[in-house]
């Protein structure tokens, strides 16, 4: 199994509060991704990183920011959480694109009340 | 705009029979395709992939078929087993991009 851990695994918070989810890898993979999974929508890309301090937006980036100050950590921040951001968040990593595969973390379940 | 689509939210098959999961895509620039399997409360796990230079890839009970002209791929599971019951996602990667696009998933139930 790829060395990828997400924290926290579960979090309940209130609308308007900031939330940070952490993805930590021990594989030294270049690419890191944050997805959210919602019923009827599958997995949707929020942000991704292609190197330290190199990030880009995905298809559902509004309301989210990311940072990657070192290879092993990719942080997802909700500056002011809303109920629509209640979801399960998955981090994924890979070191190769066209011949590689994504390795996923176990997910972080976030509930915004 | 969903670039990768799985039009069947759910599928039920009898144990021992074939399961066929379908996936359609709209972006002709996609050139690498993957299937993932997901159990409840776990992260998705890689199952099988195919490059656009091939039309078939097989790995044990799992075979993926790619029809580029129809922009369609399918995953065949033969024979289906109860442990195959899970949500299956197809994904696609553009040849010049870094983003993996996922479908909405198909929930497969294999009935013993």
């Amino acid at each position: 199994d790829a060395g990828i851990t997400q924290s926290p695994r579960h979090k309940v918070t209130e609308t308007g509060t900031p939330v940070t989810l952490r993805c930590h890898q021990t594989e030294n993979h270049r690419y890191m991704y944050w997805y959210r999974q919602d019923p009827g929508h599958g997995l949707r890309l929020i942000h991704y990183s292609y190197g330290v301090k190199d990030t880009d937006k995905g298809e559902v980036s509004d309301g989210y920011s990311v940072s990657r100050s070192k290879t092993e950590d990719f942080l997802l921040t909700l500056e002011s959480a809303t109920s629509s951001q209640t979801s399960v968040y998955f981090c994924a990593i890979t070191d190769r694109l066209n011949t590689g595969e994504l390795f996923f973390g176990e997910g972080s379940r976030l509930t915004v009340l | 705009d969903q670039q990768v689509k799985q039009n069947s939210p759910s599928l039920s098959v009898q144990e021992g029979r074939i399961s066929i999961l379908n996936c359609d895509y709209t972006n002709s620039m996609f050139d690498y395709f993957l299937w993932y399997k997901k159990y409840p409360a776990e992260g998705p796990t890689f199952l099988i992939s195919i490059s656009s230079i091939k039309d078939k890839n097989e790995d044990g009970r799992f075979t993926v078929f790619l029809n580029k002209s129809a922009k369609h791929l399918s995953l065949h599971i033969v024979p289906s087993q109860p442990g195959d019951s899970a949500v299956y996602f197809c994904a696609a990667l553009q040849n010049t991009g870094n983003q993996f696009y996922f479908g909405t998933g198909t929930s497969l139930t294999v009935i013993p």
Side-chain angles (χ1 to χ4, degrees):
Chain A
D1 289 347
I4 177 170
T5 56
Q6 294 183 226
S7 59
R9 294 291 313 281
H10 301 272
K11 185 172 182 66
V12 179
T13 191
E14 294 189 348
T15 298
T17 60
V19 175
T20 295
L21 305 179
R22 180 186 185 226
C23 178
H24 178 78
Q25 60 146 328
T26 57
E27 305 294 324
N28 201 37
H29 283 352
R30 176 183 177 187
Y31 300 94
M32 300 185 74
Y33 301 80
W34 276 108
Y35 287 89
R36 58 179 289 175
Q37 184 195 6
D38 303 289
H41 292 280
L43 291 162
R44 293 181 293 174
L45 181 64
I46 306 171
H47 282 279
Y48 67 98
S49 169
Y50 47 96
V52 173
K53 297 187 179 179
D54 292 322
T55 64
D56 205 350
K57 296 179 180 180
E59 54 190 314
V60 290
S61 60
D62 287 348
Y64 302 94
S65 62
V66 290
S67 67
R68 191 171 179 199
S69 59
K70 46 187 177 178
T71 300
E72 56 266 35
D73 288 326
F74 192 32
L75 304 180
L76 176 70
T77 297
L78 291 66
E79 300 290 347
S80 178
T82 67
S83 59
S84 65
Q85 293 175 312
T86 292
S87 186
V88 181
Y89 292 85
F90 289 98
C91 177
I93 63 174
T94 188
D95 62 344
R96 297 173 296 167
L97 291 176
N98 280 16
T99 59
E101 64 185 79
L102 283 175
F103 299 95
F104 281 85
E106 295 188 341
S108 296
R109 180 174 292 277
L110 175 67
T111 301
V112 183
L113 302 175
Chain B
D1 186 22
Q2 196 84 24
Q3 298 190 55
V4 179
K5 301 177 183 178
Q6 294 175 257
N7 293 319
S8 298
S10 62
L11 175 68
S12 292
V13 297
Q14 290 290 136
E15 181 178 3
R17 300 291 189 115
I18 184 171
S19 295
I20 300 176
L21 296 94
N22 294 302
C23 180
D24 297 294
Y25 62 95
T26 58
N27 189 342
S28 58
M29 300 298 287
F30 287 151
D31 68 344
Y32 188 63
F33 304 88
L34 310 93
W35 283 94
Y36 284 82
K37 178 179 180 179
K38 185 184 180 304
Y39 293 118
E42 295 183 8
T45 55
F46 171 76
L47 197 56
I48 193 169
S49 63
I50 188 167
S51 166
S52 61
I53 62 173
K54 296 183 176 181
D55 54 17
K56 176 182 174 181
N57 188 28
E58 192 171 356
D59 183 3
R61 296 186 297 115
F62 303 91
T63 302
V64 56
F65 295 92
L66 176 62
N67 182 334
K68 291 185 289 293
S69 61
K71 295 190 178 66
H72 177 84
L73 65 155
S74 61
L75 174 68
H76 292 210
I77 306 174
V78 183
S80 300
Q81 300 173 353
D84 296 329
S85 297
V87 176
Y88 290 79
F89 293 99
C90 62
L93 177 68
Q94 188 171 317
N95 56 12
T96 57
N98 301 325
Q99 300 186 40
F100 291 79
Y101 294 88
F102 282 80
T104 51
T106 296
S107 178
L108 173 66
T109 301
V110 180
I111 303 165

